[in-house]
Amino acid sequence: MRTFTRSLAALLIMLAATVLSAAAYQPAADRAPMEDLIIPAADLTADIEKGTTIIGGALAPELASGASFTTEVIEAPIPFNAVVPHWTGDNAETISLQVRTGPDGATWGDWLAVHANHDWMEPGETEIVGEMVLVPQAGVTHRFVQVQVLFNSPETEFFPENSVSTPSLSRLRLTFIDTHDGPTADELLDLQSEIDKDAPLLLPEALTNYPKPFVVSRAAWCQHADCNYSDGLEFHPVSHLIVHHTVSNNASADWPAVVRAIWNFHTYSRGWGDIGYNYLVDPNGVLYEGHNGGEDVVGVHASGANTGSMALALLGTFTAYSPGIRPPDAMLNSAVELLAWAADRRDINVFDASDALPDIAWGLPHLMGHRDVYGTTECPGDQAHLLIPWLREQIAGRIGLVDPFLYADDQTTAFTKSAGANWFVPPYLCGFNNHAWYTWSVDSPASSANWGEWRPNIPATGRYRIDVYAPYCRTGRGETGSATYTISHAGGAGTRTINLQANIGLWTTLGEYNLSQGNGNVIRLTDLTGDSGLGVWFDAVRLLPLSTPP
């Protein structure tokens, strides 16, 4: 990925007797205006409330959690239609913000929740990059902003690093961007139609593949001099498809301006040289080409999973809580069309998983949300991530992909488990079809208490291959090296021991068995292993019909 050198012009502005610092991004005369405003915590003391105080120059809660702080009205150094907050401090991941913007410092839009945006952060980065806040009206800029700082209760069950210290805020940085002046969506659609008139005719063999949907190309929406380059591009064949959300307002009236704002922020403020995603789709179903170089180019969106994946970003916020919404039907239909084209083009089985990504050491689903890569982010939001199984089915239906497997999922009547304690559900809807159970391994029969059984409905007596799935989820521990499955089949019973740590994120074969019609065949797993205190997973089982025995 190429990078740009930025010249930062420091300036001081006076705001309500508070000294603030701003940095301007200056190369490229045709670039959209973008400037930073940097506010040390010590300059935020005028409006302290609800149990916060300045300790050692940093804003911190007097109580363990639940404290909040509201800044004074802040005047931006430039008119803006997008602002990205950043914040720095101890245990800063547990801090969230509320942000509102307005044109005159007296008239305000709604308060909007801002959390850490892991899509837009690098591994190990100490400064938290927040979600982009947009001016909702088309062709309008604002000049004022106000921020609430919220000190939340740290989540320590799956994120033990949050318990290391009391959170504090040492610095707030606001990146203001002005991309309101540009072509509208309708103008881009017309321009792209003109561009497509000059495209070469497809050869007959290409017409047999699933067609690529209408996409607004970079040639249409990204006309800056820095959009057209070739140095530093890296390519790798796509094996995985990753769904993101941009965690920006859902109520924008000018989605091309949002795309331009993200491009400017990724390219210059983040220093990535380009927009991180391969493609984007707005709520009206308009698709935009993202990173230069096409779908096989290595973008910047999922850290180690960048190489070998294609990223589609849903423009908006799709969390389970406010201001998240369900992705609109037009957006979902266009997402299916694009993902179906990519899956058909690269022969990607969206029902399967593999460890084909060269920079990732574990298995991952071929179609997944960003959260599935490391388990450290909510992206693409619960309301989008819950649709992953539906997306699989829709993509398969478009391209004629027939999944030959029969499934017995942990959330169906085919699965039962023991009652009692020590059953856990991983965070962020992790697991095949957005759910899994796990417990901790024990190495003593006297301590064994947890078991699970799958009784799949076998349509006809015959020979079947049985696979089990252990998802890659964040639990704070590794997985057992000796999960022992007992398979009761038409010929009797047998056992198979699997190293879940070595096969995490993958479908692992237990073997081939003669199974009787009905649900009398049983795959059983218990917490009794050769180790203790490690993860034992009870997720999905699948069966592949092989042949009918004599």
Side-chain angles (χ1 to χ4, degrees), residues 312-355:
L312 172 62
L314 313 180
L315 285 163
T317 298
F318 305 101
T319 53
Y321 51 84
S322 178
I325 63 170
R326 184 186 186 276
D329 290 344
M331 170 181 276
L332 290 173
N333 184 66
S334 292
V336 169
E337 291 291 304
L338 184 79
L339 295 170
W341 163 74
D344 184 64
R345 176 178 171 273
R346 283 295 179 191
D347 197 23
I348 298 172
N349 184 346
V350 292
F351 295 103
D352 216 336
S354 73
D355 55 0

Side-chain angles (χ1 to χ4, degrees), residues 96-172:
S96 63
L97 308 179
Q98 296 272 344
V99 177
R100 65 178 182 176
T101 67
D104 54 16
T107 305
W108 296 100
D110 295 333
W111 285 105
L112 297 173
V114 174
H115 303 84
N117 188 347
H118 294 272
D119 269 29
W120 296 0
M121 295 171 62
E122 298 284 2
E125 191 169 357
T126 57
E127 183 180 55
I128 303 300
V129 180
E131 300 154 351
M132 179 177 283
V133 175
L134 306 170
V135 174
Q137 299 87 358
V140 172
T141 59
H142 283 177
R143 194 62 191 261
F144 295 87
V145 65
Q146 196 169 21
V147 180
Q148 292 180 347
V149 181
L150 308 176
F151 293 94
N152 306 303
S153 299
E155 182 182 347
T156 58
E157 179 181 0
F158 302 111
F159 305 93
E161 65 272 20
N162 288 345
S163 63
V164 296
S165 63
T166 301
S168 65
L169 177 73
S170 59
R171 191 181 78 163
L172 178 66

Side-chain angles (χ1 to χ4, degrees), residues 288-311:
Y288 303 84
E289 181 185 7
H291 196 293
N292 192 32
E295 54 281 350
D296 286 336
V297 76
V298 178
V300 184
H301 57 90
S303 192
N306 290 336
T307 303
S309 70
M310 188 190 88

Side-chain angles (χ1 to χ4, degrees), residues 97-457:
L97 308 179
Q98 296 272 344
V99 177
R100 65 178 182 176
T101 67
D104 54 16
T107 305
W108 296 100
D110 295 333
W111 285 105
L112 297 173
V114 174
H115 303 84
N117 188 347
H118 294 272
D119 269 29
W120 296 0
M121 295 171 62
E122 298 284 2
E125 191 169 357
T126 57
E127 183 180 55
I128 303 300
V129 180
E131 300 154 351
M132 179 177 283
V133 175
L134 306 170
V135 174
Q137 299 87 358
V140 172
T141 59
H142 283 177
R143 194 62 191 261
F144 295 87
V145 65
Q146 196 169 21
V147 180
Q148 292 180 347
V149 181
L150 308 176
F151 293 94
N152 306 303
S153 299
E155 182 182 347
T156 58
E157 179 181 0
F158 302 111
F159 305 93
E161 65 272 20
N162 288 345
S163 63
V164 296
S165 63
T166 301
S168 65
L169 177 73
S170 59
R171 191 181 78 163
L172 178 66
R173 177 159 68 102
L174 302 172
T175 300
F176 297 96
I177 309 169
D178 180 11
T179 58
H180 82 283
D181 187 15
T184 66
D186 287 342
E187 291 169 340
L188 286 178
L189 294 176
D190 290 341
L191 176 58
Q192 188 60 49
S193 296
E194 289 298 317
I195 294 173
D196 289 346
K197 287 181 180 179
D198 297 327
L201 294 175
L202 294 175
L203 297 175
E205 56 267 23
L207 298 177
T208 63
N209 297 325
Y210 195 79
K212 185 175 183 179
F214 184 91
V215 176
V216 175
S217 67
R218 290 171 63 91
W221 72 262
C222 195
Q223 298 183 1
H224 292 267
D226 290 337
C227 291
N228 186 18
Y229 66 95
S230 58
D231 292 344
L233 292 176
E234 299 177 24
F235 298 88
H236 194 280
V238 169
S239 60
H240 288 67
L241 308 172
I242 303 180
V243 179
H244 297 256
H245 68 161
T246 58
V247 210
S248 47
N249 296 30
N250 297 311
S252 175
D254 190 355
W255 294 109
V258 178
V259 174
R260 293 191 295 268
I262 295 172
W263 179 81
N264 275 272
F265 184 73
H266 285 192
T267 299
Y268 305 118
S269 182
R270 290 278 76 197
W272 293 344
D274 206 337
I275 200 166
Y277 311 110
N278 298 87
Y279 291 92
L280 306 95
V281 58
D282 72 24
N284 299 317
V286 179
L287 287 158
Y288 303 84
E289 181 185 7
H291 196 293
N292 192 32
E295 54 281 350
D296 286 336
V297 76
V298 178
V300 184
H301 57 90
S303 192
N306 290 336
T307 303
S309 70
M310 188 190 88
L312 172 62
L314 313 180
L315 285 163
T317 298
F318 305 101
T319 53
Y321 51 84
S322 178
I325 63 170
R326 184 186 186 276
D329 290 344
M331 170 181 276
L332 290 173
N333 184 66
S334 292
V336 169
E337 291 291 304
L338 184 79
L339 295 170
W341 163 74
D344 184 64
R345 176 178 171 273
R346 283 295 179 191
D347 197 23
I348 298 172
N349 184 346
V350 292
F351 295 103
D352 216 336
S354 73
D355 55 0
L357 294 174
D359 299 327
I360 295 290
W362 51 89
L364 289 172
H366 288 161
L367 175 68
M368 59 180 160
H370 177 204
R371 64 176 64 183
D372 295 317
V373 178
Y374 292 102
T376 56
T377 174
E378 292 188 50
C379 180
D382 282 2
Q383 297 208 52
H385 198 269
L386 284 168
L387 295 170
I388 295 291
W390 177 85
L391 286 172
R392 289 193 199 113
E393 297 288 346
Q394 293 296 311
I395 293 166
R398 297 287 205 285
I399 64 178
L401 171 63
V402 178
D403 186 9
F405 289 93
L406 308 172
Y407 291 86
D409 193 77
D410 68 292
Q411 289 291 281
T412 67
T413 56
F415 177 78
T416 56
K417 65 179 181 64
S418 60
N422 296 323
W423 284 109
F424 307 100
V425 174
Y428 296 149
L429 301 172
C430 188
F432 187 75
N433 284 342
N434 295 307
H435 190 277
W437 294 103
Y438 72 95
T439 189
W440 303 121
S441 63
V442 297
D443 56 7
S444 168
S447 302
S448 179
N450 287 24
W451 55 264
E453 291 182 347
W454 296 264
R455 296 175 179 266
N457 186 25

